[in-house]
Amino acid sequence: AFVTRQTAGALTVAGQIGVALLLTYFLLGTGDAFRRKCARIAGTSLARRRVTVEVLNEIDAQVQAYMLILVLPNVLIGVLTWLALAAFGLPNAGLWGAFVGGVHILPYVGTVIGAVAVGAAALVSNGSLAEAASAMVIVVAISTAIGMGATSIDTSGTSGATWSRSQCDTVVVAADRWSTDRRSGRAL
């Protein structure tokens, strides 16, 4: 049941992205011709045509905002993952950052795919299971912190920014505690 829900959610998001891309293509690719055709279909009344153009302008603005909200967190996740993995010493950290940022577009599953792939790369390059687990934790922590922060700011406005700040603080404190325990050799 869980896998079915997640698959349905991923397919819904993929369908919405497809519709947004198709509409964006028509709006950007044909310029005003698409708007004129829609206005002509709306009828001969100037008021109906004006409303049609206003609706198309609103759709255009919402699609742009949606694409921005979709792309910016993924780019941020990719850059932060790159920097963190480079500091961690993983070879090709930029490639892995770009990969994690790209697959993060898939809700939940993208983070898992990215973490497993980075963990496998860390295992192959370092030969240590602890290093692989550390790399996976880095990917999950960054994806979770940015994902929760972007969602809270998007859905909650100003109050969400404060909430995401406290979430980020929690993640940073947990990561600091984890890295301190790891350096001291104590069991987690």
Side-chain angles (χ1 to χ4, degrees):
F2 174 76
V3 174
T4 304
R5 282 192 311 253
Q6 295 305 316
T7 303
L11 290 175
T12 300
V13 168
Q16 290 174 348
I17 290 170
V19 169
L21 289 175
L22 188 63
L23 187 57
T24 303
Y25 170 77
F26 283 122
L27 288 173
L28 295 176
T30 60
D32 288 337
F34 182 71
R35 293 174 200 273
R36 283 192 301 267
K37 285 181 184 180
C38 287
R40 193 175 14 196
I41 291 170
T44 57
S45 167
L46 185 58
R48 288 184 67 164
R49 286 183 177 203
R50 192 190 73 217
V51 168
T52 302
V53 171
E54 287 175 4
V55 167
L56 287 173
N57 288 339
E58 181 65 27
I59 290 171
D60 188 32
Q62 287 186 11
V63 166
Q64 287 178 8
Y66 174 73
M67 295 307 277
L68 184 68
I69 288 171
L70 186 68
V71 169
L72 281 182
N74 292 335
V75 169
L76 185 60
I77 286 169
V79 169
L80 290 177
T81 300
W82 167 39
L83 295 173
L85 293 178
F88 189 72
L90 185 68
N92 301 316
L95 172 74
W96 290 113
F99 176 75
V100 169
V103 297
H104 189 264
I105 200 166
L106 301 171
Y108 306 111
V109 176
T111 300
V112 172
I113 292 170
V116 169
V118 167
L123 182 62
V124 168
S125 70
N126 297 333
S128 168
L129 196 55
E131 297 288 325
S134 299
M136 292 173 74
V137 167
I138 288 171
V139 169
V140 170
I142 290 171
S143 295
T144 302
I146 300 299
M148 287 189 311
T151 302
S152 64
I153 290 170
D154 177 39
T155 59
S156 302
T158 307
S159 63
T162 304
W163 182 67
S164 69
R165 168 80 181 173
S166 67
Q167 286 176 333
C168 290
D169 289 346
T170 302
V171 170
V172 168
V173 167
D176 181 53
R177 169 134 170 82
W178 178 80
S179 66
T180 302
D181 288 345
R182 186 173 158 254
R183 280 182 289 197
S184 67
R186 292 189 307 199
L188 299 177

